[in-house]
Amino acid sequence: QMLTGQLPFSGRNALEVMEKHRKARPPSLRSLDPGVPDAFEAVISRALEKKPEDRWQSPRDFRHALEGLR
């Protein structure tokens, strides 16, 4: 929400939204803002992976990936 200005999921009720958080992939940043660089989207997408083992393994790793985009 901080990056796009909108929530990643919507639904008719809280249960539907929770289910989407659990199973659905959020929309890509580039679909919401085509000006987002591919590399930035890749870093953020990895941070949002559903399986913990597919995410950055530490805040330090995430920070280094973001710093590498400069």
Side-chain angles (χ1 to χ4, degrees):
Q1 185 178 3
M2 282 178 38
L3 296 172
T4 65
Q6 63 187 35
L7 294 171
F9 303 109
S10 62
R12 295 176 300 222
N13 55 51
L15 186 59
E16 189 174 289
V17 174
M18 285 189 308
E19 190 66 13
K20 287 180 181 178
H21 270 282
R22 198 168 76 78
K23 293 184 176 178
R25 293 188 61 78
S28 72
L29 292 178
R30 291 182 56 79
S31 71
L32 302 170
D33 180 354
V36 172
D38 290 334
F40 182 72
E41 181 176 36
V43 170
I44 298 302
S45 292
R46 183 171 174 185
L48 296 174
E49 286 292 336
K50 300 296 181 192
K51 294 180 183 178
E53 62 269 17
D54 293 338
R55 294 182 215 138
W56 299 105
Q57 294 304 297
S58 72
R60 177 180 286 164
D61 293 343
F62 185 42
R63 186 186 79 219
H64 286 304
L66 289 171
E67 288 173 346
L69 298 174
R70 291 185 193 177

